Amino acid sequence: MSRTTVSNAYNRPDQLSPELRRRVLETARRLGYPGPDPVARSLRTRKAGAVGLLLTENLSYAFRDPAAVGVLEGLALACEDAGVGLHLVPASPGREDVAAVHRAGVDGFVVYSVPDDDPHLAAVMQRPVPTVIVDQPRIEGIDRVGPDDAAATTEIAQHIVSLGHRQVGVLCMRLARERNDDFVPPERQSSAHFHVQRIRLEALATAFSAAGVDWSTVPVVERFDHTVDDGASAARQLLDAHPQVTALICTSDILALGAMAEASRRGLRVPADLTVTGFDGIAEAERAGLTTVHQPVLEKGKAAGKLLLGSADRLAPKIITLKTELRVGSTSGPPRTIEQPWFGP
Amino acid sequence: MSRTTVSNAYNRPDQLSPELRRRVLETARRLGYPGPDPVARSLRTRKAGAVGLLLTENLSYAFRDPAAVGVLEGLALACEDAGVGLHLVPASPGREDVAAVHRAGVDGFVVYSVPDDDPHLAAVMQRPVPTVIVDQPRIEGIDRVGPDDAAATTEIAQHIVSLGHRQVGVLCMRLARERNDDFVPPERQSSAHFHVQRIRLEALATAFSAAGVDWSTVPVVERFDHTVDDGASAARQLLDAHPQVTALICTSDILALGAMAEASRRGLRVPADLTVTGFDGIAEAERAGLTTVHQPVLEKGKAAGKLLLGSADRLAPKIITLKTELRVGSTSGPPRTIEQPWFGP
DNA sequence: GTGAAAGCGCTAACAA
DNA sequence: TTGTTAGCGCTTTCAC
């Protein structure tokens, strides 16, 4: 019996008689043949049947951030719909080993939130397969899915300005691949390799400058790791040095939750003594009443998957901008006022 | 120039002069050669550089359950350490399409919590690659990682018995591939295709029978989907029919959290009016003070990954039993008592 | 409905 | 140090 017949038995049942097919499969089982080798088939058909996901955030933090989990879930859902696997590429912030990217047998990549100078990203760009980037970085000619960070951040800023705050502080996620758990000088802000963070800081700078605040005096504290505890320690560092601050703007809900914990530790009431805002709109933040920008993270992941899987015969790169919504909660209010002496009648 | 030299330039830098290597890579770039094709390489080397994960729980629920996320994270960590990818096989409870399993280019599979009659599982077992099963099912000759469910459940049962409860109810996860959001007759309990659930129910039956409770009178409610809301509705269904119940034993923390929500909705105080227990020891449950069995989910995932990745030249199958710990919280207490008339002096 | 032959792109022996 | 050769296991024309 020829190889063709066997191959047909597995892949195109309509090309041979049911009887013969049955016999082939039966014989295969008897001989312990496990069915066509997926790798050899992929080589031949030029289809790996999998999508690669490049994510350079530390996995432990990624899985603890509902925003990231939402993206992952949406992407996995899109893959499931299409019947293709989702291949998580092993890559962590410190790791310089790019081989895993080269070794991944995938039909395309989704890149989620990596710095523009990441070597893994460079390796992905070298692979001759379609790529979709979620959030960051922005690369000319590459499909992208993400919110309008500048617009959303501007909304937050204007909300805070309109409440009357002029003494604000900012807590942001890491701006580059090198750790800097400290205040951020202006040049580091403007040269940040994490596009999203840079855009958000720029939007804040613009909005507050317009409101008459000298941005160079606004303290910005950065944290490399993305955990609630890091948010708390960042808030501590900022408030210790700048106790006059009346509002803490955080570039993520995770950091904001940490800031709220620190506020409570110091006996500061939110929002009476301190306004705190976040970004993402994760469930825990909503439960805490956090004022934040909600973005549809599940849709983000799904959109990325669909874009990639449907990118076969497309010419122009596609940019999908997700809707965001400012959700004012109970953590933002007017700044505390210094008691005025009362000159009564 | 020969193919060997090019191949060496990429894979064994030490086999040629740095100068030549540089020239090869330079030329490759100029010619737009993207580097060795990973699929072809895998075919040749017989190494896919990836581990497959089979998970037939609905992804949305899986990602919402911290216990499942913990396992996933641990596994991903182990893969990262080894520099291999983690390939999520597209499979959901309803889906009968097993092709994705055959199509996955992986060096081995981790199977996480699937029923013993799942067709995807059967497909995995046919593949000539090593397999590790996490939690369930138990299959002769296959590596397994999981807790001692019987022992852990017995501990919980004895805790509740010793508090004095004799009127108990049980909330459990799905017992088979067909949906049954309802009470569970005895034969369905004993023939459950989800091994873990079956073992836990059996352990409860044994422990309560020993305490003089007729197990056939104990109401058990099943839910197909694993969400807090389903836990709440299951508790409602059970308490509506059996208001005399003083303790609700849940086979997962997620269900238990739902049960607590329902208790509060009905105005029942926990534990004064109703004792609630869970299983898993997820963070949210601990914050809620839930009495539960803690299991190290991250370690579970890690252990599975290491076992699989190191299973090369092992002869006997390996079983890793994880330590669990009964954590008595503030949701379990003595049963409510009927007010006794007071015959004073 | 079935079989023969070509070749996907690569790596590993081995030879030079 | 470099080149030659032989497949890895499969699918796909194409002829029968």
Side-chain angles (χ1 to χ4, degrees):
Chain A
M1 177 171 307
S2 84
R3 309 160 60 138
T4 311
T5 311
V6 177
S7 176
N8 280 339
Y10 281 98
N11 302 319
R12 0 192 53 176
D14 50 315
Q15 295 298 303
L16 39 67
S17 66
E19 158 57 12
L20 178 57
R21 181 172 136 89
R22 199 196 48 68
R23 234 178 59 221
V24 171
L25 265 38
E26 156 65 25
T27 311
R29 189 150 32 78
R30 193 160 42 71
L31 264 46
Y33 174 73
D37 178 296
V39 175
R41 164 189 277 161
S42 289
L43 175 59
R44 185 62 236 241
T45 60
R46 315 265 54 201
K47 286 245 142 291
V51 164
L53 173 61
L54 177 67
L55 175 82
T56 53
E57 174 61 284
N58 192 314
L59 279 179
S60 302
Y61 306 144
F63 280 120
R64 268 167 192 60
D65 180 0
V69 170
V71 171
L72 187 57
E73 182 186 333
L75 178 57
L77 248 25
C79 288
E80 196 172 286
D81 277 351
V84 306
L86 179 57
H87 179 118
L88 273 50
V89 177
S92 36
R95 182 173 221 141
E96 289 293 321
D97 178 19
V98 160
V101 173
H102 292 126
R103 230 181 287 278
V106 298
D107 300 319
F109 283 96
V110 170
V111 172
Y112 177 43
S113 199
V114 309
D116 56 19
D117 60 346
D118 190 294
H120 296 92
L121 172 66
V124 166
M125 302 311 297
Q126 264 167 35
R127 294 275 309 258
V129 292
T131 298
V132 172
I133 296 180
V134 177
D135 284 353
Q136 56 190 347
R138 283 172 206 203
I139 298 184
E140 193 72 27
I142 300 293
D143 288 357
R144 179 178 171 275
V145 178
D148 183 341
D149 284 294
T153 306
T154 301
E155 268 193 281
I156 279 260
Q158 287 172 347
H159 168 64
I160 290 175
V161 164
S162 72
L163 285 170
H165 295 272
R166 292 298 180 275
Q167 306 261 28
V168 303
V170 178
L171 267 40
C172 70
M173 293 165 67
R174 69 165 172 270
L175 300 178
R177 291 192 291 139
E178 316 79 51
R179 183 181 287 270
N180 170 47
D181 290 326
D182 212 330
F183 287 93
V184 185
E187 67 277 12
R188 188 177 169 92
Q189 291 181 35
S190 53
S191 66
H193 286 288
F194 283 91
H195 196 107
V196 167
Q197 299 295 308
R198 190 174 75 229
I199 297 275
R200 293 187 191 168
L201 290 174
E202 283 171 3
L204 291 175
T206 304
F208 280 99
S209 299
V213 174
D214 177 2
W215 184 253
S216 68
T217 67
V218 172
V220 178
V221 170
E222 172 181 354
R223 279 297 179 271
F224 188 86
D225 294 328
H226 190 223
T227 70
V228 172
D229 283 347
D230 282 288
S233 88
R236 185 172 319 139
Q237 184 173 17
L238 195 149
L239 292 173
D240 279 349
H242 303 269
Q244 78 283 9
V245 157
T246 62
L248 239 31
I249 302 168
C250 309
T251 63
S252 84
D253 285 353
I254 294 285
L255 294 178
L257 289 171
M260 287 175 61
E262 172 62 12
S264 126
R265 205 186 62 87
R266 304 170 91 91
L268 293 175
R269 294 159 303 163
V270 173
D273 300 323
L274 185 70
T275 280
V276 177
T277 67
F279 201 108
D280 282 342
I282 66 177
E284 191 174 347
E286 304 231 319
R287 279 196 293 271
L290 186 70
T291 293
T292 188
V293 171
H294 175 88
Q295 60 170 321
V297 286
L298 192 81
E299 302 313 317
K300 193 156 74 174
K302 263 192 200 161
K306 283 196 184 140
L307 203 55
L308 187 64
L309 266 4
S311 70
D313 31 62
R314 219 167 357 81
L315 350 76
K318 227 170 156 180
I319 307 287
I320 295 186
T321 303
L322 297 154
K323 273 217 180 58
T324 56
E325 186 194 343
L326 174 64
R327 297 203 177 158
V328 177
S330 53
T331 64
S332 55
R336 62 176 178 274
T337 48
I338 287 111
E339 306 279 304
Q340 298 291 336
W342 182 65
F343 304 99
Chain B
M1 175 171 310
S2 85
R3 309 160 59 141
T4 309
T5 311
V6 177
S7 176
N8 279 340
Y10 281 97
N11 302 320
R12 357 193 55 175
D14 50 314
Q15 295 298 301
L16 39 67
S17 66
E19 156 58 12
L20 177 59
R21 180 173 138 90
R22 200 196 47 68
R23 236 178 58 220
V24 172
L25 266 37
E26 156 66 25
T27 311
R29 188 148 33 78
R30 193 161 41 72
L31 265 45
Y33 173 74
D37 178 295
V39 174
R41 165 189 278 162
S42 290
L43 175 59
R44 186 59 239 241
T45 59
R46 318 263 52 199
K47 287 242 141 291
V51 163
L53 173 60
L54 177 68
L55 175 82
T56 52
E57 175 62 284
N58 192 314
L59 279 178
S60 302
Y61 306 143
F63 281 119
R64 268 166 192 59
D65 180 359
V69 170
V71 171
L72 186 58
E73 181 186 335
L75 178 57
L77 248 26
C79 288
E80 194 172 287
D81 277 351
V84 306
L86 179 57
H87 179 117
L88 273 50
V89 177
S92 35
R95 182 172 222 141
E96 288 294 320
D97 179 17
V98 159
V101 172
H102 291 125
R103 230 181 287 279
V106 299
D107 301 319
F109 283 96
V110 170
V111 173
Y112 177 43
S113 199
V114 310
D116 55 20
D117 60 345
D118 190 294
H120 296 93
L121 172 66
V124 166
M125 302 311 297
Q126 262 167 36
R127 294 274 309 256
V129 293
T131 299
V132 173
I133 295 180
V134 177
D135 284 353
Q136 55 189 345
R138 282 171 206 203
I139 297 184
E140 193 71 27
I142 301 293
D143 287 358
R144 179 177 172 274
V145 177
D148 183 340
D149 284 293
T153 305
T154 301
E155 267 193 282
I156 278 260
Q158 287 172 348
H159 168 64
I160 290 176
V161 164
S162 72
L163 285 170
H165 296 272
R166 292 298 180 275
Q167 307 261 25
V168 303
V170 178
L171 268 40
C172 71
M173 294 165 65
R174 70 165 172 271
L175 300 178
R177 292 193 289 138
E178 317 79 51
R179 183 182 288 270
N180 170 47
D181 290 327
D182 212 330
F183 286 93
V184 184
E187 68 277 11
R188 187 176 170 92
Q189 292 182 34
S190 53
S191 66
H193 287 287
F194 282 91
H195 197 105
V196 167
Q197 298 297 308
R198 191 175 72 228
I199 297 272
R200 292 188 191 168
L201 290 174
E202 283 170 4
L204 291 175
T206 303
F208 279 100
S209 299
V213 174
D214 177 1
W215 183 252
S216 68
T217 67
V218 173
V220 177
V221 170
E222 172 181 353
R223 280 297 179 271
F224 188 86
D225 295 327
H226 191 223
T227 69
V228 173
D229 283 348
D230 283 288
S233 86
R236 185 172 320 140
Q237 184 173 16
L238 196 150
L239 292 173
D240 280 349
H242 302 271
Q244 78 284 8
V245 158
T246 61
L248 239 32
I249 302 167
C250 309
T251 62
S252 84
D253 284 355
I254 294 284
L255 294 178
L257 289 171
M260 286 174 63
E262 171 62 13
S264 127
R265 206 186 63 84
R266 304 171 90 93
L268 293 175
R269 294 159 303 165
V270 173
D273 300 322
L274 185 71
T275 281
V276 176
T277 66
F279 201 109
D280 282 343
I282 65 177
E284 191 173 346
E286 304 230 320
R287 280 197 292 273
L290 186 69
T291 292
T292 188
V293 170
H294 176 88
Q295 59 169 325
V297 287
L298 192 82
E299 301 314 316
K300 194 157 72 175
K302 263 192 201 161
K306 282 194 185 142
L307 203 54
L308 186 64
L309 266 4
S311 70
D313 32 64
R314 216 163 3 78
L315 351 76
K318 227 170 154 180
I319 306 286
I320 296 186
T321 302
L322 297 153
K323 273 216 178 57
T324 56
E325 186 195 345
L326 175 64
R327 296 202 178 160
V328 176
S330 54
T331 65
S332 53
R336 61 177 178 272
T337 47
I338 288 110
E339 306 279 305
Q340 298 292 334
W342 182 64
F343 303 99

